[in-house]
Amino acid sequence: MNLITNPKHEKDEKLFSIKFVEPHNLLIIKGWSITPELNTYYQATREGIIRHLTINKGLTIYFSYELLHSVTTRFLYNIVQILNQFHVLGKRVKIYWVIDQYNEQLIELGTELKALSHFSFDLSLPSTTLSSLLD
């Protein structure tokens, strides 16, 4: 199943990406989420998460942002609400919020999101690598 499509960034695709690693039920969202145009991709991602959790047992989401737009913040609060609902239904959901220790804005946002979460929410420094999640 294709959970989402990856947005194409005009300057460099490495600045922002959304990927789904199906064999591991792992959604990876990382980079500079700084343009309101990403809302289209976030809506598709939200719908993909709902579809995925409707027919699968769980999902792990790895967020590693550098900068955020308010569109991203709204998406994140909405996703936590959705994941809480699926958690109540017995789905295994987990978020890894990987942040630089000096980015106070992202630390604060991650702390707020974790407080709203009824599922596993791990605030991590960049030492949490994707490869450790794939093992």
Side-chain angles (χ1 to χ4, degrees), residues 32-47:
W32 294 45
S33 182
I34 56 175
T35 63
E37 292 80 20
L38 290 174
N39 189 45
T40 302
Y41 293 102
Y42 281 130
Q43 288 177 2
T45 301
R46 177 187 169 280
E47 293 167 9

Side-chain angles (χ1 to χ4, degrees), residues 96-115:
Y96 286 93
W97 185 261
V98 181
I99 37 94
D100 183 294
Q101 65 183 349
Y102 303 108
N103 192 327
E104 293 179 22
Q105 177 194 15
L106 290 176
I107 292 170
E108 184 177 325
L109 178 58
T111 302
E112 290 174 13
L113 293 169
K114 181 176 181 169

Side-chain angles (χ1 to χ4, degrees), residues 9 14-16 30-35 38 64-68:
H9 193 281
K14 293 181 182 181
L15 288 179
F16 181 76
K30 62 182 183 172
W32 294 45
S33 182
I34 56 175
T35 63
L38 290 174
S64 182
Y65 288 113
E66 305 218 12
L67 293 173
L68 297 177

Side-chain angles (χ1 to χ4, degrees), residues 9-61:
H9 193 281
E10 291 176 12
K11 295 179 183 174
D12 185 352
E13 291 180 19
K14 293 181 182 181
L15 288 179
F16 181 76
S17 68
I18 301 174
K19 295 180 188 174
F20 180 59
V21 185
E22 186 172 6
H24 297 284
N25 290 314
L26 176 65
L27 177 62
I28 303 162
I29 303 176
K30 62 182 183 172
W32 294 45
S33 182
I34 56 175
T35 63
E37 292 80 20
L38 290 174
N39 189 45
T40 302
Y41 293 102
Y42 281 130
Q43 288 177 2
T45 301
R46 177 187 169 280
E47 293 167 9
I49 288 170
I50 292 168
R51 276 192 315 273
H52 180 80
L53 285 172
T54 299
I55 60 174
N56 291 282
K57 295 179 181 178
L59 180 66
T60 299
I61 305 176

Side-chain angles (χ1 to χ4, degrees), residues 2 4 15 24 26 73 80 94 106:
N2 189 9
I4 46 86
L15 288 179
H24 297 284
L26 176 65
T73 304
V80 166
K94 180 162 187 155
L106 290 176

